[in-house]
Amino acid sequence: MNDPNQVALDALLQAVRLAPENIALADHLAKTLLQMSRAEEAAQVYRDALHHHPGNTQLQLGLADSYRRANRLSHALAILETLVAEKNPPAEALLLHARVLHGQGETRSAINQYKDAIDADPDLSDAAFESLLGLNFESESDESAQRTPASWLDDVDEAGFDQQDIDDESFADLETPSIKFDDVGGMTDVKEDIRVKIIYPLQHAEMFAAYGKKVGGGILMYGPPGCGKTMLARATAGEIDAGFLSIGISDVLDMWVGNSEKNLHNLFQQARRNRPCVVFFDEVDALGASRSDMRRSSGRHLINQFLSELDGVETDNDGVLFLAATNAPWHLDSAFRRPGRFDRIIFVPPPDAEARIEILKLALAGKPTEKINLEKLAAKTADFSGADLNSVVDTAVETKLKEAVKTGLPKPITTGDLMSAVKRCRPSTGEWFSTARNHALYSNEGGAYDPILDYLKIKR
Ligand SMILES: Nc1ncnc2c1ncn2[C@@H]1O[C@H](COP(=O)(O)OP(=O)(O)OP(=O)(O)O)[C@@H](O)[C@H]1O
Ligand SMILES: [Mg+2]
């Protein structure tokens, strides 16, 4: 029962594996995946290709589009903001930026960006998108260009959600992760914060009560992509044998589409029924986007309900630990940061040299290697994220495999193999820091982003 689509896809995958530096092939594979609504996988294909061709515009656009379709809007934005800031930005980048801005409820900026895109390349005009932006109804006033829940619905439909998929009982799969803090390299400070702030209160509830110490509230992690936020959230659950519920922004959007407060309540109830339980909100900025029109629309309602569930107003949240992560803390509604909510905000930087050694060690575990000079590798991989380090190892493994297939002689991986893989990879955190730097320099209220300035060694 071979599905012909799958057969074609497998052939493409194979081709890309053999020629990972071929841009056209990678692009074709990713586009095929996008057609099959497999946006996360498409994003992975683009990320891999970008390792071979850092900064390639076509690939960056593809990656941004994949993120958009996977509803990872802040990731898409991070790439697009850099592309459109260039001197003569490609028209496709402007159009895509407009779509993402629209997805975030920034209709007015979306319209401006769309107009720029069409000015640059009239062939890009898109009637369906214009109607979403409220552009093609001449009789309507400017006001009508405001985003409405209905226009979001269209957007969500386009992203492949189906209202009928909504399950009234529960949204997220309850996992019981087996990874623990030790499986996550470095991140010593963040681990310590998680222990003190949420694990100890859970394990020593009576002691905290005896001293009248109020418990509650969660931890918000922010930082560049691929540096272990999601992994650490999962490991927190593993560390204390708790259940793990991961809530992506798409789940929350589904709730809005379903227009059902009951659903959101059920989700928190699911966590409360399964205590101890770690609830992880990924890309929480998209839910509380302060820039978005959600403030004014029914989305505001959803945020308020979310906050009161978090506060445990009607039911208590004992035994439920809340973690959240974002790449774009500056988009987060400040109501999320009040005491008792995500009041502990932690910067998760790229791993330092020591952590890089640990991550490389973890990535190489179980693979045939000679004695590897990890210190030397760590010294050459400043600014690499954990994910980047993993792909360095992957790249070295692939090269080795190709040789082994050709010669029929499998050989262990050497430091030299890894060093040449490092040369072919580029740290992916640079883009994030170029955006973050501006926020830290120009909207650093109360020194919230001092850790970013410190990391960048900018005096304050
Ligand atoms: N500290 C680390 N130790 C071991 N592996 C790591 C570490 N950081 C990242 N990785 C590797 O990189 C992958 C991506 O990390 P993860 O998904 O946790 O990043 P993230 O910070 O959540 O990124 P994003 O902001 O894109 O969601 C992990 O699955 C893991 O393989
Ligand atoms: Mg993550």
Side-chain angles (χ1 to χ4, degrees), residues 72 75 183-185 187 224-231 327 359 362 386-387 390:
R72 299 171 71 172
H75 284 58
D183 300 304
V184 184
M187 302 182 84
C227 292
K229 298 182 291 296
T230 301
M231 194 181 184
N327 300 124
I359 294 172
L362 288 167
N390 273 291

Side-chain angles (χ1 to χ4, degrees), residues 25-40:
L25 259 182
D27 193 50
H28 186 55
L29 168 63
K31 293 226 161 74
T32 309
L33 286 165
L34 285 176
Q35 272 168 11
M36 300 166 84
S37 299
R38 291 160 66 169
E40 291 285 356

Side-chain angles (χ1 to χ4, degrees), residues 249 252-253 255-257 259-261 264 287 294 297-308:
I249 183 60
V252 178
L253 289 179
M255 286 172 205
W256 194 16
V257 176
N259 201 12
S260 167
E261 288 158 26
L264 186 60
L287 174 63
M294 276 176 81
S297 62
S298 55
R300 186 70 231 166
H301 205 61
L302 184 75
I303 292 177
N304 286 337
Q305 201 211 333
F306 179 87
L307 293 173
S308 72

Side-chain angles (χ1 to χ4, degrees), residues 446-459:
Y449 302 131
D450 285 351
I452 297 177
L453 296 177
D454 291 345
Y455 182 85
L456 293 172
K457 302 201 173 65
I458 296 174
K459 280 229 171 67

Side-chain angles (χ1 to χ4, degrees), residues 87-104:
K87 202 145 173 246
N88 284 313
E92 291 86 359
L94 293 166
L95 178 62
L96 204 49
H97 194 211
R99 290 192 200 278
V100 174
L101 288 169
H102 172 258
Q104 290 209 318

